[in-house]
Amino acid sequence: MMSQRKRTWFWLMAAAAVFTLALAGVFACGDDDDDDDEDGDDDSFFPDDDTDLPDDDTDDDDTGDDDVTGDAPVLSNGFWDPNAVTWSADCETTACLAILFSVCDPDGDLTDPGGAWFYAAGTTDAFFVTQSIAWGDLNPDAMDVTNCDAPLETGVGLLMGEDLFGSGAGDYELAIDIEATDASGNVSNKLTNLTATVTYNG
């Protein structure tokens, strides 16, 4: 029930200088034919030995993710709030647009070093400058997450600057995948191709 839902939002202050949406192809102008394939897993610009991607089970990383035990986190109800927005000077605040999702973990170990991972949809490229955000930021009050009938709702707010709209006036689509790990290294299901449209009038 909505009255039982726990909520915490972490607002990411992602300035235009570091919030390089265009780099990952996630802030594209016009229609997006994203077929939500995930064949970019081998094409990430993050070298395998230098990053511990949660879905990387190769034996050349240091995650120990082949040996994890316990229950994995469960992600649900991922959405943009709102899913369509017109950019203006009023939108240069983190209250303008946010990516939200719900999460539970029967083991209750949604603690650091676990966290939520944000990808450009269909890839393992980082959506934010920091590819993962720790549970200490997403659940700073350490609220109970064991009840999957009343999961924790959390999210990340965006700060957009006018210089992000390099192609001029038009509709820009944000598309994102979300995955999570707990402190034991268990990997959640993935929420895929969550999209929002930002209209820029020039």
Side-chain angles (χ1 to χ4, degrees):
M1 295 176 61
M2 183 64 69
S3 60
Q4 296 176 320
R5 174 168 290 169
K6 310 176 190 74
R7 174 178 295 193
T8 179
W9 292 1
F10 169 64
W11 300 112
L12 183 71
M13 302 301 292
V18 294
F19 187 32
T20 52
L21 293 168
L23 176 65
V26 297
F27 202 43
C29 185
D31 293 333
D32 189 334
D33 294 328
D34 188 350
D35 59 3
D36 195 27
D37 69 57
E38 298 180 9
D39 57 4
D41 287 355
D42 296 328
D43 301 323
S44 172
F45 58 78
F46 293 95
D48 185 60
D49 288 332
D50 295 335
T51 186
D52 292 332
L53 295 174
D55 57 351
D56 183 357
D57 292 323
T58 58
D59 57 11
D60 58 352
D61 63 19
D62 301 318
T63 61
D65 41 1
D66 293 318
D67 302 317
V68 296
T69 59
D71 294 318
V74 179
L75 301 184
S76 59
N77 196 34
F79 65 100
W80 288 94
D81 184 24
N83 64 5
V85 65
T86 298
W87 185 90
S88 68
D90 294 336
C91 244
E92 289 186 331
T93 72
T94 54
C96 179
L97 184 64
I99 180 67
L100 305 178
F101 63 97
S102 296
V103 58
C104 67
D105 185 77
D107 293 335
D109 60 346
L110 288 188
T111 56
D112 304 340
W117 296 69
F118 299 87
Y119 308 105
T123 77
T124 54
D125 295 345
F127 184 83
F128 299 116
V129 137
T130 53
Q131 187 169 36
S132 64
I133 298 176
W135 292 119
D137 293 320
L138 290 166
N139 186 15
D141 298 325
M143 299 172 73
D144 176 58
V145 295
T146 58
N147 184 359
C148 286
D149 291 328
L152 173 76
E153 185 175 83
T154 186
V156 180
L158 306 188
L159 180 65
M160 295 181 293
E162 188 171 10
D163 55 349
L164 291 175
F165 304 99
S167 299
D171 291 335
Y172 290 75
E173 185 173 89
L174 299 174
I176 191 171
D177 295 345
I178 306 174
E179 197 168 40
T181 56
D182 60 20
S184 302
N186 295 297
V187 182
S188 74
N189 59 304
K190 184 181 287 186
L191 303 178
T192 60
N193 201 32
L194 307 175
T195 61
T197 301
V198 180
T199 298
Y200 176 60
N201 292 325

